[in-house]
Amino acid sequence: MTFIARFILFIVFPLSQAQPVSVDEIKMLRDSDLTTATTLAERVYSESTDPKQRAQYGEQWLLCLYAADPELPAMELAKHVVDEALSSDQWVIASNVVRQSVNRLIDLKAWDDVLYWQTKTGDWHAKDTLLNGQKAELSNGFGRAAFLQGHFKEASNFYERALNFGKEKPSEMLVSIQVGLGAACAQQGEYDRATSAFLSAVDLNKQLGLPVNPTILMNIGSLYFYLEQWEKAVSFLEQAAAATDPSNTDSLASIYSNIGAVYAGMGDLDKAFQYYNDSYLKSLKSGKPNGNVLNNMGVLLRDWGRFDEALERFESAAAIYGDQAAFDKVAVAYKNMGETLMRKGDFAKARILLRQSYELYADNDLRPKRLELFPVLIENLENLGDFEQAFQMMKEFVSLQKEDETSKARERIAALESAVELAKKESQLAESERDRALQASSIANLKTNETWQKSILLVLFAAALLLVIVVAIQYRQVRFKSRANEILATKNVHIEKQAEELAALNQELQRQSVEDALTGLKNRRYLTEFMRHEAPKVAREMKQSDSEQMLLIIADIDHFKRVNDVFGHHVGDHVLRFFADVLRGCKRESDVVVRWGGEEFLWVCRGAKVDDGPELCERVRAKLRHNSVSTSGDAVPISCSLGFAPYPLRNSPDQGWEWSLKLADHAMYQAKREGRDGWFGFGEGQQEITNTYGRLDVDKLEKEGKLRRLASPRFGVA
């Protein structure tokens, strides 16, 4: 918008004018002058007291904020707007705001906030005030969120609900729902149900007159592959290839790779190799060489005994994976190379590559892959004659087996069966000895007609023999009891060891439940429980003796999404660990630092005042200025935005600690808006804060002298 047009607008709608700017005018401004639209929407929303108008203008303000900052969730504003829309019976606005918010939160991976909306809208599907299309859109959004979090069962339930509301007539949204349902079912191994959903999506595309979606066809082909319906799999994958733009070599490479996998499953390895080769050539044309295809080709060549050619493919695959920082796949390539070298008889080289594979799996915590690797490692070590190392690997292998409970149960049963079998054999032996004794006695009796001396001798001999047999039986029984006692003692030791292991495991699980696995810091669950006990104590002590408060500092890494996109998630993880170490180095002995979620951290400073906030925040900024994260020789500079607030506020002692947390969060986002790499904080003002009913209008509270703002020198205090 030009200066003249903007000037005229403010002439027509001055700040003191009774009639507000219309919603339609703000909508028009949003496309042409976002800054002015945002200012007007915020002003009219703040000035309005009517819930209906506040909901309408609040929705426009929210859309302006979303357009201005892709990383701003604006969750508190969204909650207020939805509440105001519901109180004024404006269900369409409430539904639209939730849908827009959920889509934004999904992009930001703010899953706790998504869960809030799921709970908030839990019974909306039963409301007659919402159209079925709006209910379908909401359920579709929640299905997508659940899918991205890996909650596939929950996702399929949301998609089913969306399907019920959206099935009145064919639409592109209905296609999207069917595709989402198909993907969620496939992840749960429900291949028949997934195939049905994808086929429905194809039919809907045809009904809408839309071009056939090659991705859907490829998914159907892949599902038929898992169902081992080879002919159908090839048919749909070939349809996908025909429907794909010839210039889209990247997609064609994926389709040809899948066709190759189908032919491999059918046992037609020549055709499989041909399609794998075509796939690789397409991937080269697209500038994205496919390491997976090279791996598959290498496996075929190895099975054909062409070991050197196989090694070439595996080496090329490893190089591609390395460039992509896909270290889990590099480990797979190394494993394949090691197995190929074993087939060649070169066990020494195989040892080096298998060890590299093992270390990559360990570094990336890929436990299932490590379990697959152990038998190969152990076999190769045995081939080399290194039985000591093989034994150590075997012990580690056993300790890592998560499915070990089944095998342990089988071992116990086998041991008991052996004991029972041993007892049966001992009993049979004793019975056999008795039979022999009886037989000897019978022989003696049959010869009683011989001379008396012979009879006496025979009887004595039989008696002696019987005595030997009885002694033998007693001896065997003693041995059996000793053996049984030994087995029982061993079992008792084993049970005690299991009890100790279970106690250690429970302790470890308890530790893991309150600790963030990536950074080693405590997590949100720990802090919530900590504050449940600590916050009332601090509030009580301050009322009684005006003792020290605690300071809540929220720190959020700047442009973290950009770090992930440019350098990869493995570097992003490194940055999170680095930032956690910085906070550890800055905190005081009595402080608590937790990973609050994503790239957001919460620092609880016990016994600190609001005036301590600037020094603590600058301590973090100084550490970040003098240190950086290195990756592939390049330094990745890291900065953060911080916000702080005390708990409890002396002029509002009855507010909960969550209110102070919201205040600190607001301060942090103000630092984001002002350009990042700095801090804002809020402390008590001169006037008392009365009940805010959970709402946080910081600007109003500051204007009324109820809050005092502090800011980084680089920002200044407005």
Side-chain angles (χ1 to χ4, degrees), residues 673-690:
R673 287 192 292 271
E674 292 294 328
R676 297 178 170 83
D677 189 21
W679 50 265
F680 275 88
F682 289 100
E684 304 94 339
Q686 298 298 319
Q687 303 298 319
E688 183 179 354
I689 300 175
T690 54

Side-chain angles (χ1 to χ4, degrees), residues 52-67:
K52 184 174 182 179
Q53 287 186 344
R54 284 178 65 83
Q56 293 170 354
Y57 289 114
E59 179 188 15
Q60 296 307 312
W61 184 20
L62 195 65
L63 293 174
C64 289
L65 292 174
Y66 284 166

Side-chain angles (χ1 to χ4, degrees), residues 172 175 200-213 216:
E172 290 189 48
V175 174
S200 297
V202 172
D203 289 340
L204 285 168
N205 262 332
K206 291 178 181 176
Q207 292 178 45
L208 294 168
L210 298 172
V212 180
N213 188 327
I216 299 176

Side-chain angles (χ1 to χ4, degrees), residues 259-283:
I259 296 175
V262 174
Y263 278 116
M266 295 169 70
D268 192 342
L269 302 184
D270 289 328
K271 274 193 175 179
F273 190 84
Q274 176 189 331
Y275 272 103
Y276 284 147
N277 193 54
D278 290 344
S279 172
Y280 181 64
L281 294 175
K282 290 289 183 186
S283 71

Side-chain angles (χ1 to χ4, degrees), residues 556-560 563 567 571 574-576 578-579 582 620-621 623-629 635-640 677:
D556 189 279
I557 301 172
D558 293 331
H559 302 297
F560 182 73
V563 172
F567 300 100
V571 175
H574 187 29
V575 167
L576 290 170
F578 164 80
F579 191 72
V582 167
V620 176
R621 292 187 64 232
K623 280 226 177 211
L624 292 176
R625 278 197 305 272
H626 295 102
N627 297 278
S628 61
V629 175
V636 182
I638 304 298
S639 67
C640 71
D677 189 21

Side-chain angles (χ1 to χ4, degrees), residues 30-47:
R30 197 169 70 232
D31 295 330
S32 57
D33 191 341
L34 183 59
T35 303
T36 303
T38 304
T39 304
L40 286 173
E42 181 181 5
R43 175 176 64 80
V44 183
Y45 173 78
S46 301
E47 291 177 352

